[in-house]
Amino acid sequence: MKAVERLRRDHQLLRAKLGILESGLTLGPEAWFVLREVCFTLSRQMRDHIKREEELVAACRKAMTPALLAEVAVEHKDEPVLLRTVNRLFLRDQDHRLERIAPSLTEFIRGLRHHMDEEEAGLFPALERFLAEQDAAHAPAPSGSCHVDETMTVNRVVQEFP
């Protein structure tokens, strides 16, 4: 389950960045460079997150329906494309006018939040169930003959087995 927890932490980080972007949009042109920098770093972080997520999805394909797999694939193309568009707008606009970029940036923020909410409601529980089943299948069977383990003290052994 550590892999899914890592994805959830990624989502927390991405949501924090989205909050910074929203706050920056309210500040106006003074936040131009901050917004641009956050978008560039967000692009890299999203790429890394998507790579981790797709690797986990590939490992757990058996647990997912074809519809869920198709949905994940489509949504992983939409947000990065929109963010690349926003980054291009930041590079092209030499006048530092947020009103040109704000609609695309707002759409990106809304879309990414929606995507993360859907993943946390549908994809992550499916991955967690599959991983829990895998862990249970690979867990060693408990042996009923020995009740002593290496963490027990001598006192405890003597008390439990006089």
Side-chain angles (χ1 to χ4, degrees):
M1 301 242 205
K2 290 181 181 178
V4 177
E5 289 173 15
R6 172 64 198 256
L7 295 177
R8 288 186 195 278
R9 277 184 288 168
D10 285 350
H11 280 194
Q12 288 175 337
L13 178 67
L14 293 172
R15 279 192 174 93
K17 297 273 183 164
L18 295 178
I20 291 169
L21 289 174
E22 278 183 327
S23 297
L25 283 172
T26 62
L27 296 175
E30 300 83 27
W32 172 269
F33 293 105
V34 172
L35 291 171
R36 185 180 73 177
E37 187 63 29
V38 171
C39 283
F40 289 149
T41 59
L42 187 60
S43 181
R44 188 190 80 249
Q45 289 168 335
M46 270 185 51
R47 182 191 66 228
D48 295 343
H49 169 73
I50 289 171
K51 181 181 175 191
R52 278 190 290 277
E53 197 169 277
E54 288 177 347
E55 287 171 356
L56 185 59
V57 166
C60 301
R61 281 196 184 283
K62 297 175 192 170
M64 291 186 245
T65 64
L68 184 58
L69 286 170
E71 184 179 320
V72 169
V74 167
E75 288 185 359
H76 279 180
K77 291 178 183 161
D78 290 346
E79 279 82 24
V81 167
L82 191 52
L83 185 56
R84 275 193 297 275
T85 301
V86 169
N87 284 334
R88 281 190 205 114
L89 289 172
F90 271 117
L91 291 173
R92 288 183 186 152
D93 191 350
Q94 301 300 321
D95 300 332
H96 307 282
R97 299 180 72 183
L98 281 181
E99 60 268 4
R100 291 181 187 160
I101 296 171
S104 296
L105 190 54
T106 303
E107 181 183 346
F108 166 73
I109 292 168
R110 184 194 51 74
L112 185 56
R113 279 197 173 129
H114 178 72
H115 172 75
M116 289 188 296
D117 289 342
E118 284 182 341
E119 283 184 347
E120 290 170 358
L123 176 65
F124 290 0
L127 293 173
E128 286 173 330
R129 280 191 303 275
F130 180 77
L131 293 173
E133 290 170 6
Q134 292 289 12
D135 288 345
H138 292 20
S143 61
S145 63
C146 183
H147 297 288
V148 178
D149 71 50
E150 65 272 1
T151 62
M152 296 175 79
T153 63
V154 173
N155 246 356
R156 184 165 171 208
V157 172
V158 171
Q159 288 174 355
E160 288 189 25
F161 306 102

